[in-house]
Amino acid sequence: MSHEQKLRGFEREIESWKIRIKDANDRKTYDEVFDRQTLLAIYKLFSDGFFDILDFPISTGKEGNVFRGITRAGDYVAVKIYRLSTSTFRDLGKYILGDPRFKKAAKRFPQIIFSWAQKEYSNLERFSKAGVRVPEPIAVHRNVLVMEYIGNEYMPAPKMKDVILEDPNATAEYLLESVKNAYSRGHIVHGDMSEYNVLMTEDAPVIIDLAQAVVLDHWMSQELLERDITNLARFFRKAGVMIDEKEQLGRIRGGETATS
Ligand SMILES: Nc1ncnc2c1ncn2[C@@H]1O[C@H](COP(=O)(O)OP(=O)(O)OP(=O)(O)O)[C@@H](O)[C@H]1O
Ligand SMILES: [Mg+2]
């Protein structure tokens, strides 16, 4: 299977699952089961040598946590752990714990999250191959993703929303060029571009949080592209940079090439 087909496969799976798990109980049993699974996944990556230490949490969010890890060689990595028990999925316990008919769905449940992690890994690869600066993907196992750490010895790189931009024009241009390269070379749209998902380093902005990115033949790709541009325009307007959204969309779409 080609990379493209694999990505489409993940996307389809995730979409079908989203519908299935809408109505959702039994929190405790649920959390216990999946937290153990998470520990096992972390242990696997640890024993495979991807990190020796989980250093400190960089971020604790609704959907997961990001830790800084340290390898045996002393290098830093970022370890993103997708939570297996968010409230979104809570009520699925009802299916899992009582009804034998849903055994299959129950078994499939953690796969949804695994697919998100896997998809983020693939998307990171794809952006990177298209020449867009994102964290380099290193490993993924179940709901745990290991990638390049963006930051220094003392702290992770700040989000764009938390810094005063030295040259907002240049940053805007750089990010629009990144969106264009992802689109025309990588045939992919980020889908959640905003000042929350860009980390600022001394060299260049680094785009993060790619699980939701979609390939161009996804039915939502154009809508998401428009939203990405609108989000960038809204943010940069406040920094005094006017982005002509129509013009940018034309430029990005015009640069599209036919091959994958
Ligand atoms: N590779 C990385 N290097 C350094 N810090 C990172 C890296 N990846 C993510 N982070 C930090 O972790 C935070 C959350 O990561 P990300 O945006 O990928 O996850 P999320 O699921 O969107 O979580 P949230 O809802 O908290 O944004 C980021 O805002 C950033 O501060
Ligand atoms: Mg984010």
Side-chain angles (χ1 to χ4, degrees), residues 231-259:
N231 281 339
L232 289 177
R234 180 192 37 75
F235 173 77
F236 281 104
R237 192 156 50 234
K238 286 187 278 181
V241 178
M242 295 302 160
I243 292 173
D244 183 331
E245 295 178 40
K246 277 226 173 87
E247 183 192 316
Q248 289 302 328
L249 280 169
R251 206 176 66 89
I252 291 164
R253 288 178 175 139
E256 188 187 348
T257 52
T259 51

Side-chain angles (χ1 to χ4, degrees), residues 106-118:
K107 255 175 97 183
R108 285 180 78 186
F109 160 73
Q111 306 288 343
I112 305 161
I113 308 292
F114 301 166
S115 296
W116 271 106
Q118 180 70 56

Side-chain angles (χ1 to χ4, degrees), residues 81-239:
I81 303 170
Y82 285 76
R83 186 155 303 140
L84 290 177
S85 51
T86 55
S87 55
T88 326
F89 304 111
R90 180 170 35 183
D91 295 333
L92 186 65
K94 190 163 56 187
Y95 293 131
I96 296 175
L97 299 169
D99 191 334
R101 288 175 308 163
F102 287 98
K103 259 194 183 146
K104 242 193 181 152
K107 255 175 97 183
R108 285 180 78 186
F109 160 73
Q111 306 288 343
I112 305 161
I113 308 292
F114 301 166
S115 296
W116 271 106
Q118 180 70 56
K119 192 179 164 211
E120 178 152 31
Y121 182 96
S122 305
N123 288 340
L124 285 168
E125 272 186 329
R126 196 158 171 130
F127 272 75
S128 180
K129 277 187 195 140
V132 180
R133 182 72 177 101
V134 294
E136 285 298 326
I138 297 171
V140 63
H141 180 64
R142 292 172 172 252
N143 57 322
V144 183
L145 167 68
V146 185
M147 63 187 142
E148 179 192 356
Y149 165 77
I150 309 298
N152 62 30
E153 192 186 338
Y154 308 105
M155 55 180 182
K159 299 187 213 346
M160 187 163 75
K161 77 172 180 75
D162 293 325
V163 303
I164 293 166
L165 296 174
E166 264 174 50
D167 187 349
N169 256 305
T171 307
E173 212 169 283
Y174 181 93
L175 291 174
L176 288 166
E177 201 56 26
S178 299
V179 172
K180 180 171 182 282
N181 287 337
Y183 190 94
S184 59
R185 297 187 199 155
H187 296 217
I188 191 160
V189 171
H190 185 286
D192 195 17
M193 272 297 276
S194 79
E195 60 275 26
Y196 288 82
N197 285 330
V198 175
L199 300 183
M200 300 305 289
T201 71
E202 277 175 22
D203 316 324
V206 182
I207 298 170
I208 60 162
D209 204 359
L210 276 78
Q212 72 293 316
V214 299
V215 292
L216 294 195
D217 64 0
H218 187 278
W219 63 282
M220 272 182 67
S221 66
Q222 297 308 312
E223 192 183 323
L224 289 173
L225 174 68
E226 285 166 29
R227 204 171 70 188
D228 283 354
I229 299 300
T230 300
N231 281 339
L232 289 177
R234 180 192 37 75
F235 173 77
F236 281 104
R237 192 156 50 234
K238 286 187 278 181

